[in-house]
Amino acid sequence: MNNKNNTLTLDEWKDLERQISELLDLTWKCAQAKAEREALDLRRWYIERVEAFIATGETYTELDDKLKQVAKQLNPPLDKHTIWRGIKPHIETKLKETQEQVFKTHRREGFDRVAKILLYMEKLGLPEEAREATPKWLEKLK
């Protein structure tokens, strides 16, 4: 490694700030996408369980009594969209809670990683120009 010029210019520190801000944005979007996917998977799971219950009449322990009652009111043959419309009011809260929890978990993990990088950078010692170029996001993560 060449140690002749191991300091960053003010423009380079500003670019670093921009890069980290973009990384935080990506972390947010990734957490959002994972949460939405998890909610869709849960929705699909419920639809498939209700569909199986309607088709076979078998009682699945995964379905609560409300969903069993709703399933009994739906008559075959049904498509997944009709089943979804029937069960939607009963599982919307569960889907929303799941989505929020997954989002919070993944967002926290991503932000924690960025915060750790920033704290290491600070521990290495930011020059005075860097402190001016790295405003709020560094202060918030201390």
Side-chain angles (χ1 to χ4, degrees), residues 13 112-126 138 141:
W13 281 108
D112 285 352
R113 287 185 179 126
V114 173
K116 194 171 190 176
I117 291 167
L118 294 174
L119 291 174
Y120 283 150
M121 287 172 45
E122 185 178 30
K123 196 172 185 179
L124 290 171
L126 296 177
L138 186 58
L141 296 172

Side-chain angles (χ1 to χ4, degrees), residues 35-36 39 93-107:
E36 289 170 6
T93 303
K94 176 69 174 163
L95 293 177
K96 186 176 181 178
E97 289 171 356
T98 299
Q99 185 171 354
E100 288 173 356
Q101 184 59 41
V102 170
F103 175 76
K104 286 178 185 176
T105 300
H106 285 287
R107 185 196 63 195

Side-chain angles (χ1 to χ4, degrees), residues 7-114:
T7 60
L8 297 177
T9 66
L10 183 57
D11 287 338
E12 289 170 328
W13 281 108
K14 287 180 180 178
D15 183 53
L16 177 63
E17 177 193 8
R18 185 181 58 77
Q19 297 292 336
I20 290 174
S21 293
E22 288 177 12
L23 181 60
L24 290 172
D25 289 345
L26 286 173
T27 298
W28 185 276
K29 289 175 186 175
C30 179
Q32 228 172 3
K34 287 181 179 184
E36 289 170 6
R37 187 175 56 241
E38 184 73 24
L40 286 174
D41 288 346
L42 184 60
R43 173 183 164 171
R44 187 178 308 112
W45 183 88
Y46 274 111
I47 290 170
E48 289 170 357
R49 294 301 173 271
V50 170
E51 185 178 39
F53 179 77
I54 292 168
T56 64
E58 293 181 29
T59 302
Y60 289 92
T61 57
E62 297 95 359
L63 296 179
D64 63 19
D65 291 334
K66 276 186 179 180
L67 286 177
K68 289 177 187 174
Q69 289 172 355
V70 170
K72 288 177 184 176
Q73 294 171 359
L74 299 171
N75 298 315
L78 295 169
D79 62 7
K80 292 183 185 306
H81 185 68
T82 305
I83 294 171
W84 168 241
R85 283 196 321 253
I87 66 173
K88 181 180 177 181
H90 303 286
I91 65 169
E92 271 184 318
T93 303
K94 176 69 174 163
L95 293 177
K96 186 176 181 178
E97 289 171 356
T98 299
Q99 185 171 354
E100 288 173 356
Q101 184 59 41
V102 170
F103 175 76
K104 286 178 185 176
T105 300
H106 285 287
R107 185 196 63 195
R108 183 178 56 244
E109 287 173 2
F111 274 49
D112 285 352
R113 287 185 179 126
V114 173

